Amino acid sequence: MSDRVEIDPFLDANQLTACVHCGLCLGACPTYLETGNENDSPRGRLYLMKGFLEQTIALTAKSVSHMDCCLGCRACETACPSGVKYGALLEDTRDHIEAHYKRSWFQWFLRRIVIEKFFPIPTRMKWLLAPAFLIRALKLEGCLPTYFRNALSLIPKKLESAPPLAEITGAVGEAKGKVGFIDGCVMNVMFQKTNYSTVQLLRHMEYDVVTPSSQGCCGALFSHGGNLKQARDSARRNIAAFEKLDLDTIIINAAGCGSTLKEYGHLLSLDPDWQKRAEAFSAKIKDLSEFLMEDDHFEKLKRLQKNEKTSGLDLAGNVTYHDACHLAHPQSITQQPRELIRNFCGDRFVELPESEICCGSAGSYNLTEPEMAGKLQTRKTRNILSTGAKTVITTNPGCLLQIRAGLNQSGNAPLRVGHLADWLWEQIDPTN
Amino acid sequence: MPLSGKQFTDLIPQLQSICGKTNVIYHADELRVYECDAYTLEKMPPDAVVLPGNTSEVEAVIKLCRDRNLAIIPRGSGTSLSGGVLAVDGGVVIGLSRMNRILDVDFRNRRALVEAGCINVHVTQAVQSEGYLYAPDPSSQFACTIGGNVATNSGGPHTLKYGVTTNHVLGMEMVLPDGETVWLGTQPGGPEDIDGCDLRGAAIGSEGMFGIVTRVLLRLIKAPQSCKTMLGIFESVDDAASAVSDIIAAGIIPAALEMMDQLIIQAVEEAYKFGFPLDAGAVLIIELDGQTTGLSSLTDQIQDICRNKQAREVRIAASKEERALIWKCRKRAFGAIGRLSPNYLTQDGVVPRSRIPEMMKFIKQTAEKYQLRIPNVFHAGDGNIHPLILFDEKDKDQVKRAIQAGHDILGKCIDFGGSISGEHGIGVEKVDFMSRQFSPEDLEAMMKLRKTFDPDMRCNPDKCFPSASRCIDFTLKKQISA
Ligand SMILES: Cc1cc2nc3c(=O)[nH]c(=O)nc-3n(C[C@H](O)[C@H](O)[C@H](O)COP(=O)(O)OP(=O)(O)OC[C@H]3O[C@@H](n4cnc5c(N)ncnc54)[C@H](O)[C@@H]3O)c2cc1C
Ligand code: SF4
Ligand code: SF4
């Protein structure tokens, strides 16, 4: 493929030797917990990578299948005491696989066209959704093969729309500063309302919010799928879009994008013109929940809290929280969202068993590996139902779609699945 | 005996028809990761790995292997540090990883019935909301299986007060090497005391040589009302070791008493940023638990003892989170070694507590003699040392020196009246030492017991017993080629 620039060797062998083969990561790996096959565990995959690098293991349907089955959830990084940078090794290996391994036409179409050419671009994503809604309206789901029926189940019944975001949204009251906002590609189409809530929260923290229209997809869909060249191009575009704005902080509300944005420094580490700029950009990125727990923001939020008695909020049900992998593992953010939720619902917060185990969404994984995605979706649904909670909160669009679809399929549609930003915004009375 | 092409081709479909197609692993690329466990000095892939889903599948696989006279090797999570799951001469690995469910929890009788592939920490996670826990907590508890714990009679930092695996396993289901399934010890729902000899006890610690454990009935204990975790920071290992002796001599039995030396402190600090002083000679982790009322006077007493031994500082964990971080540092210390060196060899000898200072001195000399680095992190309370010998497997000479250093240390443990393994098992790693620690009569008696369970010696062969000459050849061969 001509648009690839492969780095030779494709992996940093020193990073591989950091693995001491202790096996402590096995219990954290969702795919290993499901299949029990060590080739589907981090330790096994690192072995395969080593084999690919040393050319003692060929890229065959078998060996590649274990790499494809990896969620990229990076739970293994949290578990690994030796500091193995699994995520980076995986991205480099995937880039190598896509350059040298021939996919079936279906997988090729899915990966190269649907995921890489449609998802990252909001207008195209909308085209893709149109036939889906049409099929639904005509009640033709039953005529579709299982794969497409399952894919369709991920698309929400109705897209909640919200007013488009202006380039600059003014703070409420006197602005004490300016923050950037990344509106995302999938978020921008499927979760406009969540973006709206996020910006409202930031305004009420007294910031002007800048959402430059020249930004684009963060590149996660490319880097996870084995197209580092395109991921790097996306990174350069975003860095350029924000650089001139002279901001200290740039907010993101999607966990998956957040972890990619925070790692631009690594993504462009071999590009002397961009490496420093990338690091500077990454240092400014903050997840919404992280930001809301800093400075006096939390105090401000509390002050804005709705009066419980007069608000009409549904205070009956318990609330639980699912850790989006890319927030919990690469970004190590687990406490902040919990503290935010607890503040508003106190004892009604219940922990979700296996909260840190992936729901199977994993970016576009539920499309490329539907079988494992389905197993993990069922596991997540079972755990959610065991809590008796009425509301599930998380911080990533993929998880929201996957969990909602899982609950719908299990006949538990009334459970509410929402993004932290939306839930928080609901708890707030702007007139306070 | 590695299989010939013909034997191989018809074995695989039969295994597949028992366990399902995806649960039989036989392609060379996929067998690679099964060539060793956490002990990486010796490697040999098995002929096949099967992942049965229940006891009857285990039975059927074992019968098939019996009829074909094939070795069977039980494997949990492969965290063994002694090559316990190495397929020395090929054979079929029976992996318990899919049999990982908790089948029943009986709070009234404080018992849990689990499948052998259940991960250790999952048991405590499943019962802690009711105020219970499963006591044996090997540092590998986030990954290792109950079956592996039973086979190696695992201990952990809290062994000092609560005992090892055998004190917490009431009974178990085991498929013998001839395919018969038996229940040893207390039955689920049965009374705790059982008549006859304690075959359960005999099978615990048998390193997978008596049969494949498929279900285990565990004892649950009530979580202590409160606990205090202290960090004693010392200038030298000697001071820390004598504080350990004084604590025990004062009649205090802490829940845990662990030591980390300077090199380990540095690796762990880099990994977890706890705030350990990098120039400290040694750190003791001392944990007390029990009724809240008694704890504070004991805490004072321990602080006094540490200060008497020139402790620079004694810190008390201020919160649950701080306690969790201290234990994370301790329990993940082995793994954190990856930050210091690409490979390590852990020894697991035991010495009488009073000889710890001498032993540490010997380890230091050994490190100097072989020009290697040997950090230490260990269960000081029961004299179970864990020197971690660092090496790089690419440097053949270093590998040889590492093996030799390990041998010297184990030899010294025996000289000091201790033993060669506290908890990691003999595996293939320490076979050569069995005849140094035990008399021929002792070994023969052990072998007789083993043969009662496994007359053909097909179950996890070439482990533990020096008479398995193939194994010694293998070890030597490997050492020389390394
Ligand atoms: C970082 C690290 C820290 C460790 N800390 C400790 C510690 O604190 N305390 C301690 O005791 N050990 C420790 N170990 C060693 C190891 O984790 C234990 O021996 C553990 O019990 C092995 O469990 P496993 O499931 O990984 O078994 P494996 O490694 O797969 O097997 C170990 C042995 O058990 C046998 N076996 C496994 N499953 C079965 C079964 N179902 N039936 C019959 N035989 C079986 C195998 O044949 C083998 O001989 C540590 C290891 C590592 C890597
Ligand atoms: S925990 Fe880390 S060092 Fe240990 S096997 Fe897994 S990746 Fe390797
Ligand atoms: S990224 Fe997730 S699925 Fe992949 S090896 Fe790590 S823990 Fe397993």
Side-chain angles (χ1 to χ4, degrees), chain B residues 15-58:
Chain B
L15 289 172
Q16 286 176 332
S17 71
I18 298 170
C19 297
K21 216 167 163 167
T22 52
N23 298 315
V24 181
I25 301 159
Y26 58 92
H27 194 281
D29 293 347
E30 296 180 293
L31 289 173
R32 270 281 196 104
V33 66
Y34 290 97
E35 72 186 4
C36 64
D37 44 36
Y39 170 72
T40 56
L41 267 175
E42 294 170 50
K43 293 175 182 159
M44 180 61 75
D47 292 303
V49 177
V50 283
L51 308 173
N54 54 46
T55 305
S56 30
E57 289 181 15
V58 174

Side-chain angles (χ1 to χ4, degrees), chain A residues 294-369:
Chain A
E294 284 176 0
D295 299 336
D296 60 346
H297 304 151
F298 188 55
E299 294 306 315
K300 272 208 187 111
L301 265 184
K302 277 197 202 162
R303 263 184 265 133
L304 287 167
Q305 185 164 5
K306 266 186 187 159
N307 182 329
E308 293 205 353
K309 292 202 186 72
T310 56
S311 67
L313 278 176
D314 175 15
L315 297 171
N318 282 347
V319 179
T320 193
Y321 174 72
H322 158 74
D323 282 287
C325 302
H326 282 229
L327 198 62
H329 304 304
Q331 302 186 60
S332 306
I333 298 178
T334 55
Q335 288 315 311
Q336 295 91 324
R338 286 179 168 79
E339 277 176 50
L340 286 165
I341 298 170
R342 258 201 215 107
N343 173 58
F344 289 101
C345 74
D347 292 345
R348 288 188 296 122
F349 176 74
V350 283
E351 278 293 350
L352 172 64
E354 300 194 332
S355 170
E356 69 303 339
I357 298 258
C358 180
C359 61
S361 161
S364 48
Y365 182 91
N366 43 11
L367 298 177
T368 53
E369 293 287 318

Side-chain angles (χ1 to χ4, degrees), chain A residues 19-25 43 46 80-82 84:
Chain A
C19 173
V20 289
H21 216 255
C22 66
L24 290 199
C25 49
R43 176 163 74 177
L46 288 162
C80 175
S82 188
V84 172

